[in-house]
Amino acid sequence: MLLLKQSSLRYAVVAALGLGLLLPTIGALVLETNYAESVAKEDLQRDLSRSTEVLALSLAEPVWQVSPDLAEPMIKAQVNDPRFVSVLVVEPSNPKPFYETPQRADVDPKLTLSETRPVQRDGREIAKLTVVMSAEPFLARKRADLWNQVLRTAFTLIICALATLAALRTRVLQPMSRLSAAAEELAAGHLEKPLEVGDGDDEIARVGTAMERMRQALLAAFESLRMHNNTLEDQVAQRTNELTRANSELTTTLRNLQTAQRELVEAEKLASLGRLVAGVAHELNTPLGNALTVVSALEDRYNQLDQMMSSQTPIRRSLLEELVKDTRRGQDILQRNVQKAADLVRDFKQVAINQTNDARGDFDLARVVESQLVMVEPSFKRTRYEIITELQPGLTLDSYPGALGQVLTNLLMNALLHGFDGLEQGTVRISSRQLSDDEVELSVEDDGRGMDESVRRQIFDPFFTTKLGTGGSGLGMHIVHNIVTNVLGGTIEVISAPGKGCHMLVRIPRVAPERAAAEEAGG
């Protein structure tokens, strides 16, 4: 399947290159030929008038002396020009022509011009001279030049296509194959195996490096959680042994719960990675599909033009103009869709780097929210739920964009899975505003099912979920609370009632506390 996609991408690039170079060149050459035809006719009319005038003056003496032999060298001196079709000299009193040249049979009437002038002597008309000339020899040379230019363009296209395919294979297809294989390894849950994404400093290599850092961060986090669970297990076992041996059943139950906990955490991790990769793949499918559709349409138009040229059917100027417009419109659509795909890859790369780096820096709150929505919106696309943003511009924070993006993702997915469960439609409204010079507020509000007071009080407890056994792990909101309070140094408030939806208010300082201080406060 991957090989088929690579071949399709090669064909698309070659077709786009061919249509982008060959069609405009052929169209320009055909327009040039049509223009040359009009110029040739103008020149032919001028030369016809001059030649007819010269012959009329030269033939006056031979006609007066009734000497066709004397007129013949004068006429042949003129008709040596291949543009001449025929020359006819007729005396008024003689029905038989005074002199007539054989008329060429392979002449296109549309390209011929004729002119008739009187042959005079002493002011009296003694004969009529008719000269017929054709612009076909000139246009034949132009057509030969046209085909030579088409052949040169085709040779240039072949060289460009080979160079482009070589660069595409080296810089895009092979790195993408390695990146896809690495993503499959992550989706399969093989966190212990390092990702092999190759060397380099381009966008694909940086995405692969970010995915490797994500793998390492997830591995370290889960290993720390396992160690913490092991410590708790040892403490519980020690205290249980001190109380009574009769509580061995409680120890067994606790171990079963810990095993279930590890399985739930692992499932949560795999689901998160799967959503991220599936979301990006779904979003990339649309612009790339549009680009391939445009390439196919342009190829059909090129085949139509090629058939018309092969059959030597006259080509109308309106048809050529339409083909040029289609080519330009196709190039515009290709450029916009490929740019959209590049923007999606850039946003995915930025989100992946933020969430694995956990680096602190200055950022615009609205831009971080909008970048995170690129990764979340595919989950909402096939539903009747929509996301509306009302973000105040210019809110600059010195904090942790990756942690804030993880909080927003968990809140949106919580609304999708729990708030809108069983509802046909719904709306999530995300807004931000400045509370003071030192504090901002991020609000995530939905009009879903809401929750009663007992659920609201326990929403941040670890392993508490209303969907236990149906996909919920009970860790999402607990992670949100820890990030908001311990990393971002803020607070989170939940306002909800049954049937009234849920309103999450996250208030964080514009300058996050130092990480060490935050960890001590949370510990």
Side-chain angles (χ1 to χ4, degrees):
M1 187 64 178
L2 181 60
L3 181 61
L4 180 60
K5 291 182 179 179
Q6 291 179 358
S7 299
S8 299
L9 184 58
R10 288 194 191 97
Y11 296 150
V13 171
V14 172
L17 186 63
L19 293 173
L21 291 178
L22 197 57
L23 280 184
T25 302
I26 294 177
L29 292 176
V30 174
L31 289 176
E32 182 181 350
T33 301
N34 291 338
Y35 175 71
E37 181 178 336
S38 63
V39 172
K41 286 186 176 181
E42 293 177 2
D43 293 343
L44 183 66
Q45 181 64 55
R46 184 173 58 253
D47 293 345
L48 176 63
S49 298
R50 185 170 58 250
S51 299
T52 304
E53 182 179 0
V54 171
L55 277 176
L57 294 174
S58 302
L59 293 174
E61 188 64 27
V63 173
W64 178 257
Q65 297 180 11
V66 192
S67 177
D69 294 337
L70 184 61
E72 183 176 2
M74 298 178 183
I75 296 175
K76 285 186 176 180
Q78 293 291 333
V79 299
N80 285 335
D81 188 336
R83 294 179 297 171
F84 274 82
V85 177
S86 66
V87 176
L88 176 65
V89 181
V90 179
E91 295 176 297
S93 59
N94 190 356
K96 183 179 180 181
F98 173 79
Y99 190 89
E100 182 180 12
T101 61
Q103 185 171 357
R104 297 177 185 174
D106 56 344
V107 176
D108 187 355
K110 296 180 181 179
L111 300 177
T112 59
L113 297 175
S114 65
E115 185 168 335
T116 301
R117 287 203 179 194
V119 179
Q120 297 180 344
R121 180 179 176 84
D122 298 332
R124 183 167 62 89
E125 180 179 331
I126 60 175
K128 284 189 178 294
L129 169 66
T130 301
V131 179
V132 181
M133 297 180 69
S134 172
E136 190 166 353
F138 175 79
L139 292 179
R141 292 194 300 272
K142 278 293 183 179
R143 292 191 188 98
D145 293 340
L146 168 65
W147 283 111
N148 289 334
Q149 293 186 37
V150 169
L151 291 176
R152 289 196 294 270
T153 302
F155 177 75
T156 304
L157 173 62
I158 293 173
I159 297 300
C160 292
L162 291 176
T164 302
L165 286 177
L168 182 69
R169 177 180 177 81
T170 304
R171 304 294 297 176
V172 177
L173 297 180
Q174 291 180 349
M176 283 296 292
S177 297
R178 293 194 295 268
L179 192 61
S180 298
E184 291 293 337
E185 290 291 329
L186 286 180
H190 300 155
L191 290 180
E192 295 78 10
K193 183 179 179 181
L195 301 183
E196 297 179 1
V197 294
D199 301 327
D201 193 32
D202 55 13
E203 288 77 4
I204 296 178
R206 287 197 290 269
V207 170
T209 302
M211 291 180 64
E212 171 62 15
R213 287 200 296 267
M214 179 187 293
R215 183 195 69 82
Q216 294 175 357
L218 287 173
L219 193 62
F222 287 117
E223 183 63 28
S224 176
L225 184 59
R226 291 189 185 96
M227 294 177 61
H228 181 65
N229 290 337
N230 291 334
T231 302
L232 290 177
E233 182 181 353
D234 293 341
Q235 292 177 355
V236 171
Q238 181 179 359
R239 292 174 183 176
T240 301
N241 290 332
E242 291 175 355
L243 291 174
T244 178
R245 295 180 180 179
N247 291 331
S248 58
E249 184 179 352
L250 178 60
T251 303
T252 303
T253 303
L254 179 60
R255 289 175 179 171
N256 292 336
L257 287 175
Q258 289 171 340
T259 301
Q261 173 191 336
R262 286 193 295 269
E263 293 176 353
L264 288 173
V265 170
E266 194 73 10
E268 182 76 13
K269 175 258 299 183
L270 292 177
S272 177
L273 287 174
R275 286 194 298 269
L276 186 63
V277 174
V280 173
H282 176 76
E283 288 298 302
L284 284 174
N285 184 59
T286 298
L288 291 180
N290 290 341
L292 289 176
T293 301
V294 171
V295 168
S296 299
L298 290 177
E299 185 177 13
D300 291 339
R301 298 308 301 272
Y302 169 74
N303 291 334
Q304 179 185 357
L305 177 61
D306 186 58
Q307 291 174 1
M308 295 183 69
M309 294 185 65
S310 299
S311 62
Q312 298 183 351
T313 302
I315 301 176
R316 299 189 304 276
R317 182 184 184 89
S318 61
L319 177 59
L320 290 172
E321 290 176 348
E322 181 182 356
L323 289 174
V324 171
K325 289 180 181 179
D326 289 347
T327 301
R328 291 176 179 170
R329 185 162 51 247
Q331 288 177 331
D332 180 62
I333 295 174
L334 280 173
Q335 181 179 2
R336 284 189 280 109
N337 280 276
V338 172
Q339 183 63 45
K340 181 178 179 181
D343 292 341
L344 288 171
V345 172
R346 185 191 63 237
D347 291 340
F348 167 72
K349 175 191 67 176
Q350 186 61 45
V351 170
I353 290 176
N354 284 343
Q355 292 194 1
T356 55
N357 246 350
D358 203 17
R360 176 175 183 151
D362 295 333
F363 61 90
D364 184 88
L365 178 59
R367 290 186 179 179
V368 169
V369 172
E370 290 170 352
S371 297
Q372 199 66 32
L373 289 181
V374 174
M375 301 298 108
V376 178
E377 282 181 346
S379 299
F380 284 76
K381 254 187 178 178
R382 298 180 181 178
T383 68
R384 299 183 66 182
Y385 315 129
E386 72 173 321
I387 300 175
I388 299 176
T389 58
E390 297 175 355
L391 304 174
Q392 180 178 339
L395 294 181
T396 304
L397 278 68
D398 177 13
S399 188
Y400 301 92
L404 183 59
Q406 187 175 356
V407 168
L408 181 60
T409 299
N410 284 10
L411 292 180
L412 290 173
M413 296 309 297
N414 196 66
L416 179 64
L417 297 176
H418 299 278
F420 297 141
D421 185 22
L423 299 182
E424 294 184 357
Q425 59 185 12
T427 302
V428 180
R429 189 177 303 275
I430 304 174
S431 61
S432 63
R433 65 190 180 99
Q434 181 173 335
L435 296 178
S436 65
D437 292 339
D438 301 323
E439 191 176 26
V440 297
E441 180 184 86
L442 179 64
S443 169
V444 180
E445 182 179 7
D446 66 72
D447 55 0
R449 301 171 61 87
M451 64 186 80
D452 57 32
E453 184 61 21
S454 63
V455 175
R456 191 192 68 83
R457 286 198 306 267
Q458 302 178 75
I459 191 171
F460 297 124
D461 293 344
F463 308 110
F464 172 78
T465 177
T466 58
K467 289 186 175 294
L468 187 61
T470 60
S473 65
L475 293 174
M477 295 305 295
H478 178 65
I479 293 174
V480 167
H481 184 269
N482 283 343
I483 292 176
V484 172
T485 57
N486 296 337
V487 179
L488 303 178
T491 61
I492 180 169
E493 179 183 1
V494 182
I495 303 173
S496 182
K500 301 287 186 178
C502 183
H503 192 184
M504 300 285 184
L505 290 173
V506 178
R507 299 183 179 93
I508 56 175
R510 300 187 68 169
V511 179
E514 294 298 329
R515 195 62 178 269
E519 289 175 355
E520 291 176 4

